[in-house]
Structures are given as structure tokens and as C-alpha cells.
Amino acid sequence: MGIGSAVARLASAQYLRRIGAFMRHPLMAQHGVLGYLLQQGRRTRYGQQHRLDAVHGYRDFCQALPLAHYEDLEPQIEEMRRGGRDILWPGITRWFAKSSGTTGHKSKFIPVTNDALRLCHYRGGYDTLALYIHQHPHTHFYHGKGLTLGGSHTLEKGYGKSKEGDLSAILIQNIPRWADFIRTPKRDVALLADWTKKLELIANEVVHQRVTNLSGVPSWNMVMLNYLLEVTGKPNISALWPHLEVFFHGGVSFTPYRDQYQRLIPSAGMHYMEIYNASEGFFALQDREASDELLLMLDYGVLYEFIPMSTFHTEHPTVLPLEGVKLGENYALVVSSTNGLWRYVIGDTVRFTNLSPYRIKITGRTRHFINAFGEEVIVDNADQALAWACEVTGATVTDYTASPIFMGADAKGAHEWIVEFSTPPTSLQLFRDLMDQRLKEVNSDYEAKRRNSFTLLPPTMHAVPPGSFMQWMAQRGKLGGQNKVPRLANNREYTEAILAFMQEAGIGMETV
């Protein structure tokens, strides 16, 4: 065993002991987080406005601070971007993660404080590696480089020294210099905003390197890997990088991409590990390879609260602490954290699969669903239905989006799907019917609305050629980084925009 291996295993043991402690005592861990947040929050203008000095427990905390969406904290965040001190978190915040704005039309700028980097994002990275080493004691991933496909950052004009960009770019920019010896590509390449140029330079740099691990969003990594095969002429990625052994992925559900990655990387020794690292914080990670559940990380300086989705759209939604959650219910996630977000509704939804320890699955977004007719279809339902149709037909899906077709004077409602296949089914109608059937099986509300086509007609499905969604994203200036194709919408904004783009670009598609 080399010195590097010995150091990695020693550090991993320390991280594992800490993880084990909060798994055994989850409520104690969250109580400690609340105490730390209150201590720091009292030093801020926001904390003084809400009298955090008089808060001495969770009940007081709930009474003192309102639930907040981005619009509620935007004035304070704008002050922070202009160099304001002690606004939402003590000190001056230099970095802001620019969200792609999937929950609204404009971009959001999430503060990324030094404490959030240290206690949350980087701790999550260390814990991920520690768990991987523990599960695979004979790993050699540290005998090569890790390829991180991130976004870009730019200096925000007119806002002093503050900088904005994708979270992945901020993490790359702030990692210690020694980490450059074990990662690729070079920082200047990794942070390029021009996606096409970035792919070219990445290829020039990495094709002759020993790459042992990948990190990033599945959709954009797949584009990169296919590009590498194109320029190298290799039959698959295992032929290019025979020592590649793990992909640390997050950002979108891996379900639609799993089969495609197994074809791209046919090595029997390839592993996949999911992380839940959002702009707002690092929240959970896959601690068991045999299960796709994610362990909720309880000592990262994040206090968690949960709103049952059954009450989310009411005037006074129910808000629960960790100890109040139940198995199987869909919750909107609320966080208070070291980046200065206080009781912040981040827009993600989760479902608990285990309460000892606390494990979750990400089920979608609070605004990414279809419920035009009471069917309450969420992203998790859609992923399951598409995965089943793919399994039966042998098809593979690259991207998709769906929305309602609203009822007319003489027409019933339906759902309209736009699906991009890398391997199309021999029969699009069979694929559509299988997906429709599986949706009925996983969602009783959808089944009730589809019964005898009384409320909902069979869905309309468009199959678009490979690369169509990427072209649409390019037209919107959303290539690469953490930008994502919106999966579901309760209106026709995305569907109409994509169909119009397909028509203007002369892109043909099959429809059933």
C-alpha cells in the first residue's frame, strides 16, 4: 500500500466515525446544527430583525422566522452581491451560485459562503470518497485522475468583487491547489463558458490520461463521453480508460441514463454513486451501492424541515422537523444553512424510505409536476414509467419533457410528451402504451383519470431525433454546466417552445 493509499484510508476512517455518530443520534445532530445557526444568525442584520437573540429552541425558531422563497430573500441577497456585510450570514460573501432558474423565468443567485464550502459542500465530497473507499477497499481510483465536468464562472459587472457561476465551477475554483494533481481538466479549461470549445479542449487533454473516476450531471457527461468516442474512434469508454471505475453523479435522475452508461462503459468493475449536491447545499449521498436510497447528511450545517405536499399549496402549510416525517409521503424540502438561507423552500421534493437512519429519494420539484386534472404526476412517476417502457422495448431515452393538453369545448384532456431516444423503439405506439400503463400502476390518481379515458385521453408522444434537446438548450444559451431540460410542467410553456423550435429548425419527428 502506497503512502497516498494509507493516508486516504486513515482519513476515511475518521469520516466514517463521524457519519456513524449522526446516524445513531440524528436528532442530537440536528439540535447541534440549530444551535450553531442561531449563534451565527444573531450576528446578522436578518437575525436581528427577527429577534434571533430571543430564540432558544426549534419552536421559537419557527415562530420567529417565516418560510422563505427566493423572492423573499432577494433584496438581502442583492445587498450581499454588492458587498454588504453581515446581511444573511456573518461577513462578506464573495461567491454566488447562479441557478438556471428552473423554478422561474429569471436566474437565482444563491450565496456560497466560506462556511458553506467548508462545512457542507467539501465535507460532502470527502464523505462520498470515504464511503466509496470503505465499500471498495481494493480501489485504485486515487492512482489516476478524476474528470470533473463543471460549469463556468464570470465576474459579475457592477457588483464589486463578487463572482457568480455554476456551483460546480465555484467548487473547482476554490479547491486546494494540491487537488489539481488528482483531477482533470485544468482549471482554465474546466471553467470555460463556451461549451463547444470546452469539449474540444477537454478531449485534447484527457484522452491520453489515466482517468479513474468521473463527476457531474449524467446528461452532460454523456454528451462528453460520446464526443470522446467520436474523436478517438474507440468502441467504448472502457477501451479508452480501462482503469475507470466510478461515476459520482447528481443533478438529474440517473434512471433514464443507466442503460446507456452501461453500454458506454461495459466494464464489469464500473460503479455508480449518486450525490444530492444542489446550489443550496450538499444534502444527501448514496451510502449503499445495492440501494438507490440517499443517506440524509445531518451534520453539514443544514437544518432540515419538511412540508407535506398535500398542504404545500395551502395558505398555511404544515411544516415538520425531521422527527415528524413519515415513510412514503412526498415532502417539499426546507433548509436553513450556513450560506444564509433561512427556512428556505428550495423547490425539491423528497420521500423518506427509511427513518433509522434517515434515507430519502428525490421525487421531483415543487413546480415540476402535472396536475391539470387532479392526476398529480411527479417526476419520479415519469422516470419509472419511461424506465419500464425502455426495459420492455429495448429503447433508451436521452431526454424528455411533458405537459398537459387542456380540455376544449369538445375535447377531453391529455398529456403531451416530447421524448428524445438514443435507441428508438421499433414501435413508438407500443412504447407510449407501455409508459401509459406503468403510470397507471405507480400513480392511482392518474389511473383514475385515465380509466375508460373518461377524463384523460391516451397521451400524445413525439419522438425527436438525437441531439434535438441539446440544440434547443443551445438556442436558449443553456448548454452545459448544471442546466437541465425541464421534465414536467403544469402549463404548456416548454412544450410550445420546443415544438416551435423543432418546426423552425426543420427537425422532423414521429408522433403517436
Side-chain angles (χ1 to χ4, degrees), residues 312-349:
F312 183 79
H313 296 286
T314 63
E315 184 177 356
H316 300 290
T318 301
V319 185
L320 303 171
L322 184 64
E323 59 264 38
V325 301
K326 299 178 181 178
L327 293 175
E329 186 158 357
N330 210 31
Y331 294 103
L333 183 59
V334 180
V335 299
S336 299
S337 70
T338 54
N339 53 14
L341 300 180
W342 297 95
R343 305 199 77 199
Y344 182 78
V345 183
I346 70 171
D348 289 344
T349 60

Side-chain angles (χ1 to χ4, degrees), residues 291-318:
S291 171
D292 60 357
E293 301 167 298
L294 303 180
L295 178 68
L296 193 63
M297 308 308 282
L298 302 178
D299 67 343
Y300 282 13
V302 179
L303 181 74
Y304 299 99
E305 297 178 273
F306 306 89
I307 303 175
M309 283 305 294
S310 57
T311 73
F312 183 79
H313 296 286
T314 63
E315 184 177 356
H316 300 290
T318 301

Side-chain angles (χ1 to χ4, degrees), residues 12-84:
S12 297
Q14 295 175 342
Y15 296 134
L16 292 172
R17 284 194 292 272
R18 203 200 75 256
I19 293 170
F22 77 67
M23 289 174 70
R24 291 189 300 273
H25 306 289
L27 303 186
M28 184 183 299
Q30 283 286 274
H31 180 76
V33 168
L34 175 59
Y36 178 74
L37 292 176
L38 290 174
Q39 181 187 47
Q40 299 300 313
R42 290 167 185 144
R43 300 167 52 196
T44 68
R45 186 195 305 172
Y46 191 79
Q48 292 163 6
Q49 289 173 344
H50 291 279
R51 295 297 311 276
L52 288 187
D53 59 322
V55 171
H56 301 290
Y58 175 69
R59 181 170 296 182
D60 292 346
F61 180 75
C62 295
Q63 292 176 347
L65 293 175
L67 290 174
H69 296 267
Y70 183 78
E71 293 75 13
D72 302 312
L73 297 179
E74 187 174 19
Q76 290 86 356
I77 291 174
E78 286 300 298
E79 282 192 73
M80 295 171 74
R81 292 177 67 204
R82 288 180 166 85

Side-chain angles (χ1 to χ4, degrees), residues 330-392:
N330 210 31
Y331 294 103
L333 183 59
V334 180
V335 299
S336 299
S337 70
T338 54
N339 53 14
L341 300 180
W342 297 95
R343 305 199 77 199
Y344 182 78
V345 183
I346 70 171
D348 289 344
T349 60
V350 302
R351 182 179 72 249
F352 280 87
T353 57
N354 199 309
L355 301 182
S356 183
Y358 287 95
R359 291 194 174 95
I360 62 171
K361 285 188 177 181
I362 305 167
T363 55
R365 301 280 295 172
T366 56
R367 300 189 190 183
H368 283 197
F369 60 87
I370 303 178
N371 192 31
F373 312 101
E375 65 273 46
E376 297 189 28
V377 173
I378 60 176
V379 174
D380 185 54
N381 301 154
D383 284 343
Q384 289 188 55
L386 287 171
W388 168 248
C390 285
E391 182 178 342
V392 174

